[in-house]
Amino acid sequence: MNALLEAQGLSLRFGRVRALDDVAIAIWPGEVLAVVGESGSGKSTLLRVLSGQQRPEAGIIRFDGTDIHEAGEAALRRLSRTDWGFVHQNPRDGLRMAISAGGNIGERLMSNGARHYGDIRAQAKDWLARVEIDPARIDELPRNFSGGMQQRLQIARTLVTRPRLVFMDEPTGGLDVSVQAKLLDMLRALARDLSLAIIIVTHDIAAARLLAHRIVVMRHGQVVEEGLTDRVLDDPQHPYTQLLVSSVLAA
Amino acid sequence: MEAGYNFAYLDEATKRMIRRAILKAVAIPGHQIPFGAREMPLPYGWGTGGIQVTASIIGPADTLKVIDQGADDTTNAISIRRFFARVADVATTERTEDASIIQTRHRIPEAPLREDQILVYQVPMPEPLFRLEPRIAETKRMHALADYGLMHTKLYEDIARLGRIGTAYNYPVMVNERYLMSPSPIPAFDNPKMDRMPALQLFGAGREKRIYAVPPYTPVRSLDFEDHPFRAIRAPHACTLCNSTASYLDEVVTDDQGGRVYVCSDTDFCRTEQERAA
Ligand SMILES: Nc1ncnc2c1ncn2[C@@H]1O[C@H](COP(=O)(O)OP(=O)(O)OP(=O)(O)O)[C@@H](O)[C@H]1O
Ligand SMILES: [Mg+2]
Ligand SMILES: [Zn+2]
């Protein structure tokens, strides 16, 4: 089997900060990959670069074997609204707050050519139900929703076109602990049911353990360790990973 | 012609610059072309984009008609007609069929236009996405990539809230199946007239410094949904003056008891219909 997304030699500096320093990473179809590491280690930068939102200074990113920057911006944008999805930490960055829940879910369908109002609405209702929002609230604005609901709406809006790869940057970051747990369960079920590949950035080792098949540990813009989730968490090799895991156990 | 002015007021270099923008606009139907807009000594509140376009294309042999909301006899329409009669010495008319250039704001004449006519629209806001996406760079990218899902989302929201698409003016159109275009605030009723019109349609936005065009016989399609098709709506009445049941009507309040009548917004059409009936 070939990697779905594969990157090599990614480097990017901000002034003197090496946000990415010769990073290589790959993800396979249906796989959930967690990216962990302390604040400032380059996780969000990696996600932006992998999803084509920012160009690296060096390195190459291949999706389905093709360089994502090769075919130009139009092709990259098409990829972003078809095969890819992006879930932001703050739902306000991923939702249109002035547009109804149904419109938020429908936008991606319409961007991909859907022109039947009744179908779009039926799909929006279906997705609201899937993320456990009452479909009767389809015409409400996201601002009436709780933080957890907004995040679930963002996920519905992203998944409605059945992307094969979803980038998530701390999707549970701003939420209460109990709400986080519910969202993680939901993500796990969706990933399994839709055979999604997910690259998820998280601070939360427990979330990584619950969701991820594999873990990548970043520090100072470098990947210092990677491997199967249980192996990395139960038998960390790199001193930094040992510190990260033990600090969680201690907490 | 009045001394002291260049023909049609604008200097030749400016007219050439505007004509270049017009040619580009014609070559890429519906695409907005930037141009170096000039000041015009004309009534505030009308806007000068359309008038600059007219000044750049008009020649001594032209016959000019000017309409404001369909009417030839408003203060603005009269002063613009007089202006061009003075600075270009051209003939003017109120008859649609006699005009070679029709400068308009907010309407398309009811009489079908011909290949030898040009319709020049005054446009206040050329960007159809501006209410939805305030970032200009992002709207440019959407046009470049023909990424118009957001415009459909707006129409979706209309139907979800009102049960129908609520846009009665400035109803967005796709030109030649490529560019999303604002038809300037004409009533949606007029949209079908733009489709494959034999006359050249030119649009000028002075403040935003943009020109765009629909060449003759270009397909212009009003956006809609398969199960909520576009409909050209008019008030369900006959014109009080000419009895037309096909023309676009203005509602006129006749007294303070709530009395009202409906009359054609196109004054030339209404008079022609009345003459025919007489
Ligand atoms: N646009 C930018 N301009 C300047 N420096 C930046 C920019 N984006 C990121 N950086 C720097 O690059 C480094 C990596 O940042 P990044 O946001 O990728 O870290 P992170 O791992 O996502 O951190 P956190 O866990 O706090 O979200 C940091 O030192 C950051 O300050
Ligand atoms: Mg981050
Ligand atoms: Zn009439």
Side-chain angles (χ1 to χ4, degrees):
Chain A
M1 191 158 61
N2 290 321
L4 186 60
L5 184 91
E6 183 180 24
Q8 275 151 14
L10 297 180
S11 292
L12 183 60
R13 276 166 307 186
F14 294 108
R16 296 163 69 185
V17 176
R18 287 176 184 278
L20 295 179
D21 185 4
D22 195 21
V23 170
I25 197 169
I27 184 166
W28 274 263
E31 185 186 36
V32 178
L33 177 69
V35 179
V36 302
E38 68 191 347
S39 183
S41 58
K43 305 182 298 293
S44 295
T45 306
L46 177 62
L47 220 53
R48 279 201 309 278
V49 166
L50 289 176
S51 58
Q53 297 173 57
Q54 196 161 15
R55 260 185 187 260
E57 285 159 349
I60 185 165
I61 302 148
R62 290 196 187 84
F63 181 76
D64 261 349
T66 311
D67 181 346
I68 64 164
H69 290 291
E70 194 178 76
E73 201 199 337
L76 186 56
R77 279 229 165 182
R78 201 171 311 117
L79 210 53
S80 302
R81 64 175 191 244
T82 55
D83 280 335
W84 292 354
F86 201 103
V87 176
H88 300 261
Q89 172 171 354
N90 187 342
R92 285 169 183 278
D93 296 332
L95 292 174
R96 293 193 188 274
M97 299 306 282
I99 284 177
S100 69
N104 266 286
I105 298 175
E107 182 179 1
R108 245 174 99 104
L109 292 169
M110 290 181 257
S111 286
N112 287 309
R115 294 292 178 264
H116 192 284
Y117 175 82
D119 285 353
I120 293 163
R121 213 164 157 79
Q123 289 204 56
K125 282 187 173 160
D126 185 46
W127 269 95
L128 285 172
R130 283 185 94 143
V131 298
E132 294 173 24
I133 297 173
D134 181 355
R137 304 187 71 172
I138 185 168
D139 295 327
E140 284 185 38
L141 293 178
R143 86 165 79 91
N144 295 349
F145 294 176
S146 69
M149 285 169 75
Q150 289 182 2
Q151 200 54 299
R152 282 180 273 139
L153 179 61
Q154 190 190 181
I155 289 164
R157 164 182 162 91
T158 306
L159 297 187
V160 64
T161 52
R162 300 299 183 97
R164 294 153 69 199
L165 173 62
V166 183
F167 304 91
M168 299 188 177
D169 195 351
E170 311 250 14
T172 61
L175 304 173
D176 295 344
V177 177
S178 63
V179 179
Q180 283 190 15
K182 187 178 168 200
L183 192 70
L184 288 171
D185 279 339
M186 176 174 289
L187 280 177
R188 190 160 69 154
L190 286 169
R192 189 191 53 222
D193 296 350
L194 303 171
S195 341
L196 289 176
I198 299 178
I199 304 181
I200 181 168
V201 165
T202 180
H203 272 104
D204 182 352
I205 299 289
R209 168 132 24 217
L210 183 73
L211 278 181
H213 302 109
R214 256 185 334 124
I215 290 187
V216 162
V217 183
M218 288 191 74
R219 188 187 192 204
H220 298 329
Q222 295 179 322
V223 172
V224 295
E225 180 158 0
E226 77 156 285
L228 293 176
T229 301
D230 291 343
R231 206 282 293 149
V232 171
L233 296 184
D234 298 339
D235 183 20
Q237 302 296 304
H238 193 279
Y240 175 69
T241 315
Q242 290 166 1
L243 196 70
L244 210 64
V245 173
S246 66
S247 67
V248 171
L249 291 178
Chain B
M1 201 176 99
E2 201 160 294
Y5 288 116
N6 192 36
F7 179 81
Y9 186 79
L10 293 175
D11 62 79
E12 291 306 310
T14 298
K15 285 194 275 186
R16 270 198 299 277
M17 176 270 294
I18 294 175
R19 285 177 203 141
R20 272 198 297 274
I22 292 172
L23 287 173
K24 280 189 205 167
V26 169
I28 315 172
H31 178 52
Q32 302 166 44
I33 310 292
F35 78 109
R38 296 289 189 270
E39 297 295 321
M40 296 289 281
L42 279 160
Y44 187 77
W46 174 284
T48 63
I51 294 162
Q52 292 181 68
V53 168
T54 297
S56 305
I57 61 170
I58 203 163
D62 273 308
T63 302
L64 179 69
K65 169 182 164 86
V66 181
I67 45 174
D68 185 7
Q69 319 265 358
D72 297 87
D73 54 5
T74 69
T75 316
N76 279 327
I78 293 167
S79 73
I80 291 167
R81 229 167 25 236
R82 282 206 191 121
F83 173 76
F84 281 107
R86 209 170 73 223
V87 300
D89 200 22
V90 292
T92 63
T93 183
E94 296 193 3
R95 292 192 173 273
T96 299
E97 60 175 33
D98 293 342
S100 59
I101 297 175
I102 301 167
Q103 163 77 61
T104 183
R105 185 169 80 156
H106 298 185
R107 275 311 310 277
I108 297 175
E110 304 290 357
L113 301 184
R114 302 180 310 261
E115 279 180 5
D116 61 346
Q117 296 178 305
I118 299 176
L119 184 58
V120 180
Y121 298 77
Q122 164 56 30
V123 179
M125 170 35 83
E127 178 47 67
L129 295 162
F130 102 103
R131 276 186 194 288
L132 306 170
E133 177 51 74
R135 293 167 297 176
I136 301 286
E138 184 60 21
T139 61
K140 278 191 182 158
R141 203 168 293 131
M142 287 172 168
H143 286 298
L145 303 174
D147 182 0
Y148 298 132
L150 184 58
M151 190 79 242
H152 272 96
T153 306
K154 153 80 171 66
L155 302 181
Y156 167 94
E157 291 286 288
D158 274 5
I159 301 173
R161 272 185 300 120
L162 311 167
R164 64 188 156 77
I165 297 172
T167 310
Y169 292 88
N170 214 1
Y171 189 109
V173 293
M174 279 298 279
V175 178
N176 208 23
E177 292 303 323
R178 174 57 184 85
Y179 282 99
L180 181 71
M181 188 185 92
S182 159
S184 85
I186 58 171
F189 174 84
D190 282 341
N191 275 18
K193 296 176 186 160
M194 306 180 91
D195 184 34
R196 290 164 223 267
M197 183 191 279
L200 170 63
Q201 302 174 73
L202 300 175
F203 301 77
R207 187 162 33 93
E208 308 288 329
K209 302 183 171 51
R210 290 284 185 281
I211 286 173
Y212 51 98
V214 176
Y217 301 108
T218 303
V220 175
R221 184 173 57 80
S222 302
L223 296 193
D224 61 2
F225 290 97
E226 290 157 19
D227 48 344
H228 284 265
F230 171 82
R231 260 191 301 249
I233 315 155
R234 66 185 285 283
H237 302 281
C239 171
T240 305
L241 302 175
C242 75
N243 274 323
S244 170
T245 53
S247 68
Y248 190 75
L249 300 174
D250 286 337
E251 192 180 309
V252 181
V253 176
T254 50
D255 55 39
D256 51 12
Q257 258 82 75
R260 59 199 59 207
V261 296
Y262 292 88
V263 296
C264 294
S265 108
D266 183 334
T267 50
D268 172 58
F269 174 84
C270 196
R271 191 190 50 232
T272 309
E273 287 294 293
Q274 291 174 54
E275 285 166 5
R276 225 170 39 155

